[in-house]
Amino acid sequence: MHVALIGASGNAGSRILAELVQRGHTVTAIVRDPARVPVLSGVEAKAGDVADATGLAALLAGHDAVVSAVPFATTDAARLIATVRAAGVPRYLVVGGAGSLEVALGDFPLGLLLIDAPNFPEAYKPDAAAGCVFLDLLRAEEQLDWTFLSPSAMFIPGERTGTFRLGTDLLLSNESGSSISFEDFAIALVDELEKPAHSRARFTIGY
């Protein structure tokens, strides 16, 4: 499969790039600085910016799928979604956020969003709020075949274990808290790319 990966040099993007390459996909790694992309077989690094709709659409055209792994707070969600649509790519997968997941907390009923929980860090709220907007825009999208994969509350470097759980809209947690490694997240996202099970939907991953 020929995949365009926007944000291929970031924490999640770099792991997704490695997973795609390991599984034999060819990748156009779209980043602001192509020098930050490692030299890998089947990977072509190209300079691109999500703020440049015309230029980005030209880079995306002709691919089988687009994956975006970009910060929400600094991304114009409507513009990026419209750019992917204009490029005519049949599949769009998004590295989502945890803020829009539901959480049961103390006396709060199920349906409380993680971003609205009393202990949600203020420093993360701008990106989490923008992620909620991104998901709402996708849910209103009538043309794209999209998938939004939300990580757990702690989205961190770790190991590629291949052992994790999937859910829908409820934050996943265990006795150790709510977490997922970038490496295992990449497995789930590429699994979804290869065998779509959440078309036009959000799902989540956690230990």
Side-chain angles (χ1 to χ4, degrees), residues 80-95:
L80 178 54
I81 292 169
T83 300
V84 176
R85 187 195 313 121
V89 179
R91 192 89 199 284
Y92 181 35
L93 293 91
V94 179
V95 175

Side-chain angles (χ1 to χ4, degrees), residues 63-142:
H63 290 82
D64 298 308
V66 173
V67 177
S68 66
V70 296
F72 293 119
T74 56
T75 300
D76 185 325
R79 176 185 292 170
L80 178 54
I81 292 169
T83 300
V84 176
R85 187 195 313 121
V89 179
R91 192 89 199 284
Y92 181 35
L93 293 91
V94 179
V95 175
S100 58
L101 291 168
E102 297 177 10
V103 57
L105 183 66
D107 296 329
F108 291 97
L110 185 63
L112 174 75
L113 298 185
L114 180 62
I115 189 175
D116 296 323
N119 60 344
F120 192 86
E122 287 293 329
Y124 298 150
K125 281 191 174 180
D127 200 71
C132 293
V133 170
F134 203 113
L135 179 57
D136 286 342
L137 288 172
L138 285 174
R139 284 171 166 163
E141 174 61 41
E142 297 180 351

Side-chain angles (χ1 to χ4, degrees), residues 142-167:
E142 297 180 351
Q143 299 180 41
L144 283 177
D145 180 5
W146 60 270
T147 298
F148 187 99
L149 176 52
S150 286
S152 292
M154 296 297 294
F155 194 21
I156 54 178
E159 297 181 3
R160 185 186 185 277
T161 70
T163 301
F164 46 79
R165 294 180 293 148
L166 301 179

